[in-house]
Amino acid sequence: MSLLPLLATKFIFRTSRFLPKSTAAAILTLFVLWAPGSRASNSNQFINLTPYPTGGTPAKIVTGDFNRDGKADVVVLNSNNVLSILLGNGNGAFAAPKTIATLPANAAGFPALMMAGDFNGDGNLDLAVVSSPGNVVKVFLGHGDGTFAAPVSIADGLPSASDLAVGDFNGDDRADIVVASSTSVAVLLGKSGGTFAKAIVTKTNLSAPDHLVVALGDVNRDSHLDVVVTDTNGGFQVLLGTGSGTFNLKPAVSTNFNGPNPEPTVLAIGDFNGDGNPDIAAGMVGDIPYFANGQVCLLFGYGDGTFNFGQASCYRAPDSFGEMLVPSLNGKPDLLFASDPSIVQLNNGTGVFTQSNYAAGGETMALGDFNGDGKQDIAFGTAGGVQVVLNAGSGLMRAPLDESNLSGPFTSTQTINSTDFNGDGYADVAILNYFDEHGYVEPTAGALLGAANNTFRSDQGSGLGFVGNGDFTSPPPAIGDFNHDGYLDFAIAATGSVMWLPNPTFGDYQPYMQVFFGDGKGNFHKAGPELEISSNFLAAGDFNGDGNADLATLDGSTFEILIGKGDGTFAPPVTYAVGENPVFVLQRDLNGDGKKDIVVVNQGSNDVSVLIGKGDGTFLPQKTFAAGKAPMAAITGDFNRDGKIDIAVASSEGVSVLLGNGDGTFQPQRTYSATGPMTAIVEASVRQDGIEDLIGIDSASQRFVLLPGVGDGTFGAPVVYPVDRVPTQIVAGDFNHDGATDIALLGNGGLAIFYNQGGDHVELASSISKPTANQSVTLTAQVTTSYGEMGTPTGKVTFKDGSRILDNVYLNAGKVSITTQFAAGTHPILAEYGGNNDFNPNHSSTLTIVVGP
């Protein structure tokens, strides 16, 4: 990812706090209520962050109500110098872009500088743009209808701009412009009629080879706007405003932040520790050749314009980012970085932050309430447009989670598989990570454990006992109970040029396989010897019925079965004939005889091989079935709900479905377009309606595709979900324990988690725990959204006593009650929610009521 020039760094106060009160209120108060999309419909089952075109790729974004309709709009300065506006619809979407102007081309390396403010005090938002070479500010006065007058150029007395900010320095309710150069700060005071006073230039005691960076705030609490400036070499100076556009300078100071790259590139001001005094946040990008990670350091203020420059509290930031904002996503001053993935540091109110990563973002961003719910949302600039990430409340953003940095810096995830290892109802992910900091890769196997509130926790992992030169292949881990202890384990395979520790020299390409035993708590340790078994794909299953997981493995053109001994070792492999260039294998009981069978996907012969198991670890000769062109992966399911196992195959043609006959044979394929080649596939009833859907990834594009099942073995039109990476692997699981299947994608060395937006919870309660016969009992059901979902469930709830329906009642504000009587005896009570266009069907746990005589 290319980094924007580091000068394009702003914070939220510049676009709202110091605008005239009427304008700020128009920006921050939006009166159109949000009408949520149908999250449980096919097009919105998962978060869909589709960019809205802007006429180019955004280099700078500002937001505000430019047409005074109470809805937040977006103005974009694109990298092709097209200045455009997107009028907001009030529901998080935007109209087509309208071009405001096309500006002269910028010189190489010159930053995109643009701010919004009401410079002439007429209540309409205006624009200030600095074009190359930076000594001219172009002001576009807004008409209040989303259009602008021809620009007015201001150059008199201005130094060459390296940073731009907007605020009211003289208290006249008109926005003023601040231009920073390499040594000085110039203030342009706004006047009625859209003109500006001559620049008031204040020379600082700092200088930088390229630029100064500024941040605005009332740091001494005297009601005058002040400026904090850094020279990006660790030097800081505070300029205390006098209320006239001039400043009293505090002495310049030098800081020495931790790490080898203590060079602030962005500044922001906020009361981060909640003591009423403004503080400074200084963001620094990483310097990977010197092993310096990105960080943000807080310099706490004393309320008199001085700060504790000698002691900073520092937190992790992206290694590269274009901008840093101080939003209030959870009611406190937080930190937000324009990066990919985007990183949010949520503040607990005392200056202690918790990091969340989202699989969204870009090199520029702005804040606004885009759906009118009173919460700050984020508009990110991405390739070709703007995408909106909505705030679900408490600082949780409605974007896929990104777990790329969960295992730490310099670590990338190479391969994944999923199951619930610790039995807590949250799906987990088995991973193989490569740590790459020392010039060679160090592989580690472990797990990411699903947890409450859309979080994961990482185990410590186990090293594989060797390091490599980086040229490695690793199939997904094979999950099974290899030692018959009731806990799930996994097997890891890898092939590459390795250095066996402590041997200091790299060897030739060598195969490797290892079993890791689980303890049922999500921890794993190596078991058995390191095996020199070459495999480009693994699947685990108990093929001989002894309780120990065995392995089905592919090695080039060879398919083999390895019978497990229960100690992490295996009997010698037995080879079976399959098709040409086998690339994928899975196990399933295909004919209903209780014995594991095998499906092998043959990319070279455009078919699948089916090997029926005998139950003793051996298999009948293959039967082949045509399955698309260049097939890559397969999944099984009962797609027509006839009780017989079917197969879906991902190929260059899309998805081929082979309906099963119930005896291990299959009907001729029917192929469904997925708008592109599918390289991996999973199945799930994403709407929780018992109808299986298919989800595949298109590694030629940045997207995954949902093929909604009809329930009769056919599938509806494909629904495309763009993602921020090229996906290479996909797994499905209920990662937040709400009964709705979620998706995890692997790409760019990290995981992106797409939560099912239709998830909900049904709670059932009785007014009396031990009633007597014919006593009136009130049953109450409440349907609530899953963590991070928005809206209130509506629709019908059915109360059942066993198979007997007690009543059907429609929800009111997510809750419903009935009053009934029971005969003496035991009554299993269930509340079934039928779902609606927003939320999936679901049901409560069974409430057992024992009624006395």
Side-chain angles (χ1 to χ4, degrees), residues 229-537:
V229 62
T230 179
D231 59 11
T232 74
N233 289 319
F236 285 82
Q237 189 163 23
V238 177
L239 286 66
L240 296 179
T242 64
S244 63
T246 62
F247 301 93
N248 295 319
L249 275 64
K250 304 288 286 186
V253 297
S254 296
T255 58
N256 185 18
F257 297 118
N258 294 328
N261 188 38
E263 300 177 353
T265 56
V266 293
L267 288 182
I269 294 175
D271 179 12
F272 298 109
N273 60 357
D275 64 355
N277 300 322
D279 312 308
I280 299 172
M284 289 150 276
V285 298
D287 194 348
I288 298 304
Y290 296 97
F291 304 108
N293 297 320
Q295 62 177 348
V296 57
C297 294
L298 302 182
L299 301 165
F300 294 114
Y302 298 115
D304 58 358
T306 63
F307 296 84
N308 188 351
F309 287 105
Q311 184 176 1
S313 298
C314 297
Y315 294 86
R316 180 73 193 275
D319 291 328
S320 63
F321 55 91
E323 300 175 2
M324 179 177 71
L325 299 180
V326 179
S328 181
L329 302 176
N330 65 343
K332 304 174 182 67
D334 307 310
L335 292 168
L336 173 66
F337 298 90
S339 57
D340 189 8
S342 63
I343 290 183
V344 175
Q345 293 278 11
L346 286 180
N347 189 358
N348 71 351
T350 66
V352 177
F353 292 81
T354 301
Q355 178 174 319
S356 296
N357 299 355
Y358 293 98
E363 297 173 342
T364 184
M365 61 185 175
L367 299 171
D369 181 5
F370 299 112
N371 61 353
D373 63 355
K375 296 187 284 287
Q376 281 186 332
D377 310 310
I378 309 169
F380 285 109
T382 62
V386 169
Q387 63 181 201
V388 171
V389 174
L390 298 177
N391 187 343
S394 302
L396 179 67
M397 308 310 296
R398 288 188 57 76
L401 290 187
D402 188 290
E403 302 296 348
S404 300
N405 294 320
L406 194 64
S407 299
F410 306 104
T411 301
S412 63
T413 301
Q414 299 298 306
T415 188
I416 59 173
N417 207 343
S418 181
T419 192
D420 182 4
F421 286 111
N422 55 0
D424 62 356
Y426 296 90
D428 311 312
V429 183
I431 59 175
L432 177 61
N433 280 337
Y434 286 169
F435 180 73
D436 185 6
E437 183 184 12
H438 304 118
Y440 49 82
V441 296
E442 303 170 62
T444 300
L448 296 179
L449 303 178
N453 296 339
N454 295 1
T455 59
F456 285 81
R457 60 184 180 89
S458 178
D459 73 341
Q460 294 182 346
S462 300
L464 269 60
F466 66 86
V467 297
N469 68 356
D471 189 6
F472 266 76
T473 59
S474 302
I479 298 173
D481 183 2
F482 291 99
N483 60 352
H484 200 186
D485 65 352
Y487 301 134
L488 288 172
D489 318 307
F490 59 77
I492 288 287
T495 302
S497 180
V498 304
M499 179 174 72
W500 297 99
L501 298 176
N503 188 339
T505 59
F506 285 104
D508 297 329
Y509 274 72
Q510 300 183 48
Y512 164 93
M513 191 175 73
Q514 180 79 60
V515 171
F516 292 78
F517 284 161
D519 63 357
K521 300 178 181 179
N523 303 305
F524 298 88
H525 64 276
K526 290 190 293 187
E530 296 166 344
L531 305 175
E532 293 189 19
I533 296 175
S534 180
S535 177
N536 60 301
F537 203 89

Side-chain angles (χ1 to χ4, degrees), residues 474-654:
S474 302
I479 298 173
D481 183 2
F482 291 99
N483 60 352
H484 200 186
D485 65 352
Y487 301 134
L488 288 172
D489 318 307
F490 59 77
I492 288 287
T495 302
S497 180
V498 304
M499 179 174 72
W500 297 99
L501 298 176
N503 188 339
T505 59
F506 285 104
D508 297 329
Y509 274 72
Q510 300 183 48
Y512 164 93
M513 191 175 73
Q514 180 79 60
V515 171
F516 292 78
F517 284 161
D519 63 357
K521 300 178 181 179
N523 303 305
F524 298 88
H525 64 276
K526 290 190 293 187
E530 296 166 344
L531 305 175
E532 293 189 19
I533 296 175
S534 180
S535 177
N536 60 301
F537 203 89
L538 291 173
D542 182 7
F543 302 126
N544 62 351
D546 65 354
N548 300 320
D550 314 308
L551 287 174
T553 176
L554 301 176
D555 177 15
S557 61
T558 303
F559 170 68
E560 298 173 333
I561 295 293
L562 289 78
I563 299 300
K565 298 180 179 180
D567 59 357
T569 64
F570 299 85
V574 177
T575 301
Y576 292 86
V578 292
E580 298 176 16
N581 189 23
V583 294
F584 187 93
V585 59
L586 60 83
Q587 57 86 17
R588 184 74 183 264
D589 179 7
L590 301 174
N591 58 358
D593 63 356
K595 304 168 185 176
K596 298 295 185 181
D597 309 312
I598 294 290
V599 177
V600 177
V601 177
N602 306 305
Q603 188 179 42
S605 51
N606 299 323
D607 57 21
V608 294
S609 297
V610 173
L611 291 83
I612 300 300
K614 299 180 181 179
D616 59 359
T618 64
F619 295 82
L620 296 174
Q622 66 168 329
K623 293 182 180 180
T624 60
F625 302 88
K629 292 182 179 179
M632 289 288 292
I635 195 71
T636 58
D638 183 6
F639 305 127
N640 58 354
R641 298 186 292 180
D642 64 353
K644 304 170 184 176
I645 298 301
D646 312 311
I647 302 174
V649 183
S651 76
S652 62
E653 294 182 313

